[in-house]
C-alpha cells in the first residue's frame, strides 16, 4: 500500500468514513496517496466498485483529489477538521501571509448606537445607509449597481454563488497561479478547476476561451491585485475578455476585487460589458480590518435572487452591528486618508522590492496589490534558503495548478530598505542553489 495507514471497512460508507477519520486525525496528511482501487479491493476482500464509490464520495466532498496517473491523493486543503497554515517559525520575518501592514488599519470600535436585539432582520437584511454607500463606492468605478447584496466576506459570497449555480462535478475556470483558498474552496464544493494562465494583465483571453470550450460553467477572476501574480486588467485586456465571455452567455462570471482601494490600479471591470450573468465582489478586509468579515456584491437580478434566497435559509443576514461598523469606517474622513496612505505605501514597497530584485537580475511580477510573484526553478530550495537568512515566504505550490514554480512575497509590510536586504539575500540563495544543483 502507498501509505502506512490501514483503510478499513467493507462498504463504501465505511471506507469513506475510515479515510475521512484518518485525514481529520492527521494520520493521512495532504498529498498522501491512497491505494489504487483494485489493490485496496483485493486487500479488503471487497469489489472494486465499492472502493470506487467510496473514492468518488471522498472526491465529491473535497477530501481527496484524483491526479490522473498520479492516482488518488488527500487534497492539499481537505474539507475536514480545522487545518490552518503552518505557524511562522520563531525569529523569522513573515512575508508569506498576504496580510496588510497593521500600521495602516484603523481602530475598530463598536458603533455608538447598538442594534436592537428584537426585530425582523430577515425582512430588512441590509442597512439602507450602507447599501447606498456601496452603490456610490462601486458605481464610481463603473460597476452597474442596480442590484447589490452583502455576505460574510468574499469567499463566503463566492462559495454561495457557486453552490447555488453549479452542481458537483461542474467545472470552474480559475486563475493559474491563483488564490489558494479559492482553489481549495472549489474543490471542497465538489467542483472541478480548469486552469486559466495569467500574466501582468490578468487572465489570458485564449486560455479563458479554452477553459470555456472545456465546459467551464463559471469563471472567477481578479480584476486587479491578482493574487499571487499581482496582475490587473488593462482596458484592452478587459475588452478582449468580455469578447470571449460573450461567446458563452450562460456562464456566471465572478469578479473578486479583494484589494480594492489599496490595489494602486484603476478598476477596469468586466461587469459593464453587457454580460448576462455576473457578480462583482468587493471586500474591505485588506484596508479596514482583517476581522471585518463583510463583503458587498453588485450582480444581475438572477444572481441576486439565487444568492439571497440561499442566505435567507442559512445565516439570514449579515450582522447589523458589523454593517454599522463598516459604514462608520467607510464614511470617516480620517479612515479614508489612512486608506490612501496605505495604498501609496504598498505601491512604493512593492515597486521598490521588484526594482531591487531586478538589479540582481531576478525577474518579479506585481503591477498592483500587496504581493510579488517571483518565478524560480526550485521552490523548496528558495523557501528554505531564505529561511536561513531570516525570511519566511510562501512556496508557490499552493497557488498553482499546472503553472511554473515560483514564490509569493507579501511586500505590504516591507519598507524599501528591508526590500533591498531581502533582494540581496534572494540573490545569494539563488547562487547557492545554482552551485548545488548545477544551474
Amino acid at each position: 500500500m502507498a501509505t502506512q495507514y490501514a483503510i478499513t471497512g467493507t462498504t463504501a460508507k465505511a471506507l469513506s468514513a475510515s479515510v475521512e477519520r484518518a485525514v481529520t486525525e492527521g494520520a493521512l496528511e495532504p498529498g498522501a496517496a491512497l491505494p489504487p482501487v483494485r489493490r485496496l479491493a483485493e486487500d479488503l476482500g471487497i469489489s472494486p466498485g465499492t472502493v470506487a464509490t467510496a473514492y468518488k464520495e471522498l472526491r465529491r466532498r473535497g477530501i481527496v483529489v484524483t491526479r490522473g496517473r498520479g492516482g488518488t491523493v488527500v487534497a492539499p486543503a481537505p474539507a475536514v477538521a480545522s487545518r490552518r497554515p503552518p505557524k511562522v517559525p520563531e525569529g523569522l520575518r513573515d512575508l508569506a501571509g498576504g496580510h496588510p501592514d497593521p500600521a495602516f488599519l484603523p481602530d475598530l470600535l463598536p458603533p455608538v448606537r447598538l442594534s436592537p436585539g428584537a426585530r425582523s432582520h430577515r425582512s430588512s437584511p441590509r442597512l439602507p445607509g450602507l447599501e447606498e454607500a456601496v452603490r456610490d463606492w462601486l458605481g464610481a468605478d463603473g460597476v452597474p449597481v442596480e442590484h447589490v447584496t452583502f455576505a460574510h466576506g468574499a469567499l463566503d459570497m463566492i462559495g454561495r454563488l457557486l453552490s447555488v449555480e453549479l452542481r458537483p462535478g461542474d467545472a470552474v475556470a480559475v486563475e493559474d497561479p491563483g488564490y489558494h483558498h479559492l482553489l481549495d474552496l472549489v474543490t471542497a464544493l465538489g467542483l472541478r478547476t480548469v486552469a486559466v494562465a495569467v500574466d501582468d494583465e490578468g487572465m489570458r483571453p485564449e486560455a479563458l476561451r479554452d477553459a470555456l470550450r472545456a465546459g467551464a460553467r463559471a469563471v472567477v477572476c481578479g480584476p486587479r491585485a491578482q493574487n499571487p501574480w499581482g496582475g490587473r486588467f488593462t482596458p484592452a485586456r478587459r475588452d478582449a475578455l468580455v469578447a470571449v465571455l460573450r461567446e458563452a452567455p450562460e456562464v456566471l462570471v465572478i469578479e473578486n476585487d479583494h484589494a480594492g482601494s489599496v490595489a494602486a490600479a484603476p478598476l477596469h471591470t468586466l461587469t459593464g460589458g453587457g454580460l448576462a450573468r455576473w457578480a462583482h465582489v468587493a471586500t474591505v478586509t485588506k484596508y479596514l480590518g482583517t476581522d471585518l468579515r463583510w463583503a458587498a456584491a453588485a450582480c444581475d437580478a438572477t444572481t441576486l435572487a439565487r444568492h439571497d434566497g440561499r442566505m435567507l435559509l442559512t445565516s439570514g443576514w449579515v450582522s447589523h452591528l458589523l454593517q454599522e461598523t463598516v459604514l462608520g469606517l467607510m464614511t470617516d474622513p480620517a479612515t479614508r486618508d489612512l486608506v490612501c496612505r496605505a495604498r501609496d505605501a504598498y505601491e512604493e514597497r512593492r515597486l521598490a522590492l521588484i526594482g531591487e530584485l531586478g538589479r540582481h537580475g531576478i525577474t518579479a511580477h506585481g503591477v498592483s496589490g500587496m504581493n510579488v510573484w517571483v518565478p524560480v526553478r526550485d521552490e523548496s530550495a528558495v523557501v528554505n534558503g531564505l529561511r536561513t537568512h531570516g525570511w519566511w515566504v510562501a512556496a508557490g505550490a499552493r497557488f498553482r495548478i499546472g503553472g511554473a514554480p515560483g514564490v509569493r512575497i507579501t511586500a505590504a509590510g516591507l519598507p524599501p530598505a528591508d526590500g533591498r536586504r531581502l533582494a540581496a539575500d534572494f540573490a545569494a540563495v539563488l547562487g547557492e542553489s545554482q552551485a548545488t544543483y548545477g544551474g
Side-chain angles (χ1 to χ4, degrees), residues 69 92 246 251-252 279 362 431:
R69 294 183 179 180
L92 298 189
R246 282 176 176 168
V251 170
L252 174 63
I362 302 170

Side-chain angles (χ1 to χ4, degrees), residues 207-220:
L208 176 59
R209 180 175 281 111
D210 290 343
L212 296 177
R213 289 173 176 169
R217 292 193 55 206
V219 177
V220 184

